[in-house]
Amino acid sequence: MQIIPHVPVLYAQVLEAFSDIENGVIIDCTMGYGGHSSMILEANPNIKLIAIDQDQSAIDFSTSRLDPYKERVEIKKGRFSTVIKEILKEHDIKEIRGVLADIGVSSLQLDQKERGFSFSSDNLDMRMDTDAQLSAAEVVNEYSQADLERILLEYGELRNYKKIASFIVNNRPFSSAKELSEALKHLMPTGKKIHPATLLMQAIRIEVNNELGELNSLLDTIEEAKFPNAKIAIISFHSLEDRIVKNSFVRWRESCVCPKEAMRCTCSNDYSYGKILTKKPITAEDDELKANPRSRSAKLRVFQTDSKA
């Protein structure tokens, strides 16, 4: 299948976030098909970029797309929560001037029906890494009702999660995303602009790829690394991810880490990691929304670490 390059979401805002970085290394934790990576390399001619992805088809395509910048690019395969730890062992922490993570499934993964992410897919897969063991088929057809209820509530925030889980258990096996979304249409929320099965598919996809666990691990690694004078830019696509990023940034900003119930400060009151640059998440402008409707859910938050971190 021929892959056609696409313009990544919030590309102008991402470029603006990194515009003052004149040298050093920027880590693109979610390279995908090289959209953000290529634009960052073009706009910042003196920086080097380390790009991470777990999808081999994305790596194959982006290796070619980023070839004009090959002297300044290093591509690594794997989950970003693991690979970033390896990068920190290989590079001086002071070299890292920026970290970008565009969380979630890419537009091209959604468009490739054989990957099982789309509502109209003829299979149940949803693995971002096609070598991973757990797929949507195992989640839907083998998980206990209790486990299905857990992911539908926690990852889909579906109010009638018990009914949905019961229906799945009593009517499985399901062989495709299309079959599953059609069968459960009567139990899905209505009246929203999104596809009725969006939250159902979101919950299954998050479980398959451990997406929230990956995000939490990445943020923990960034916090522990104490990057000095670096920009941390995270793009999320639903409230669960955005809440995690927001709460992490708020915690990083705090100077005092004493318990709230403490009568007085007994810590050194010098724990701040830096400052939040985006009081509210940055969202797509009207022209981008018209050109790419999928950008409507994208939210960018940016954090600037202290030079003394």
Side-chain angles (χ1 to χ4, degrees):
M1 177 180 179
Q2 183 182 13
I3 298 172
I4 301 173
H6 70 299
V7 177
V9 298
L10 302 178
Y11 63 93
Q13 294 87 336
V14 168
L15 292 181
E16 175 62 25
F18 294 127
S19 62
D20 60 346
I21 299 178
E22 297 180 354
N23 51 54
V25 175
I26 294 177
I27 303 173
D28 184 349
C29 296
T30 47
M31 175 182 65
Y33 292 90
H36 285 123
S37 290
S38 61
M39 291 180 174
I40 290 171
L41 287 161
E42 177 68 24
N44 305 64
N46 296 318
I47 66 98
K48 294 183 178 179
L49 185 135
I50 302 175
I52 306 169
D53 210 283
Q54 58 181 312
D55 186 335
Q56 188 59 49
S57 66
I59 290 174
D60 292 341
F61 178 80
S62 291
T63 298
S64 176
R65 183 174 187 178
L66 300 178
D67 186 66
Y69 314 99
K70 61 184 177 183
E71 301 301 324
R72 297 193 284 132
V73 178
E74 183 179 357
I75 297 175
K76 291 179 174 288
K77 184 177 190 295
R79 291 177 177 257
F80 54 70
S81 64
T82 301
V83 176
I84 195 170
K85 294 177 182 178
E86 299 171 2
I87 293 171
L88 295 181
K89 294 177 182 178
E90 300 167 356
H91 292 265
D92 184 335
I93 196 70
K94 294 180 181 179
E95 294 179 352
I96 311 300
R97 300 297 315 285
V99 178
L100 170 67
D102 180 354
I103 307 299
V105 62
S106 75
S107 295
L108 288 170
Q109 285 172 331
L110 286 170
D111 292 339
Q112 292 177 317
K113 292 185 178 180
E114 67 272 15
R115 299 296 297 273
F117 290 102
S118 169
F119 307 112
S120 57
S121 293
D122 291 324
N123 62 358
L124 269 175
D125 194 327
M126 299 192 191
R127 291 174 297 170
M128 293 180 182
D129 178 359
T130 54
D131 293 327
Q133 292 186 340
L134 183 65
S135 73
E138 280 73 43
V139 172
V140 171
N141 294 320
E142 298 178 15
Y143 267 31
S144 68
Q145 184 166 329
D147 281 337
L148 286 172
E149 289 178 2
R150 172 184 59 82
I151 68 170
L152 291 170
L153 175 61
E154 293 182 10
Y155 302 155
E157 298 182 298
L158 289 157
R159 294 181 179 180
N160 58 339
Y161 64 96
K162 288 183 178 291
K163 285 185 178 180
I164 297 171
S166 176
F167 184 90
I168 290 173
V169 169
N170 291 324
N171 291 275
R172 61 191 185 188
F174 293 92
S175 61
S176 71
K178 182 193 299 183
E179 180 188 8
L180 180 67
S181 58
E182 285 294 322
L184 283 161
K185 187 182 294 184
H186 67 291
L187 292 174
M188 293 296 101
T190 58
K192 296 185 177 182
K193 293 181 180 180
I194 59 175
H195 189 287
T198 295
L199 297 178
L200 167 69
M201 303 295 273
Q202 171 184 295
I204 297 169
R205 194 195 74 231
I206 290 174
E207 176 70 12
V208 169
N209 298 289
N210 187 29
E211 292 177 30
L212 301 187
E214 285 287 296
L215 176 58
N216 275 310
S217 181
L218 172 66
L219 292 166
D220 288 346
T221 299
I222 292 172
E223 182 177 4
E224 292 165 7
K226 294 298 181 187
F227 295 114
N229 193 27
K231 293 276 186 70
I232 314 299
I234 312 289
I235 300 173
S236 62
F237 286 86
H238 55 74
S239 60
L240 297 173
E241 295 169 342
D242 184 56
R243 194 178 307 142
I244 290 172
V245 176
K246 177 184 177 181
N247 290 341
S248 291
F249 284 8
V250 168
R251 187 179 69 253
W252 294 356
R253 180 187 61 190
E254 299 303 319
S255 184
C256 176
V257 294
C258 292
K260 291 182 179 180
E261 61 272 15
M263 297 292 291
R264 62 185 178 86
C265 176
T266 56
C267 72
S268 62
N269 196 27
D270 189 32
Y271 282 87
S272 175
Y273 192 8
K275 60 184 179 181
I276 298 171
L277 299 183
T278 48
K279 292 183 178 180
K280 293 182 179 180
I282 298 171
T283 56
E285 300 287 349
D286 288 343
D287 56 345
E288 182 176 359
L289 290 170
K290 291 177 182 177
N292 180 15
R294 287 172 180 166
S295 67
R296 69 180 180 273
S297 302
K299 295 181 179 180
L300 170 65
R301 293 184 185 270
V302 185
F303 190 92
Q304 171 71 61
T305 68
D306 268 335
S307 58
K308 65 179 179 61

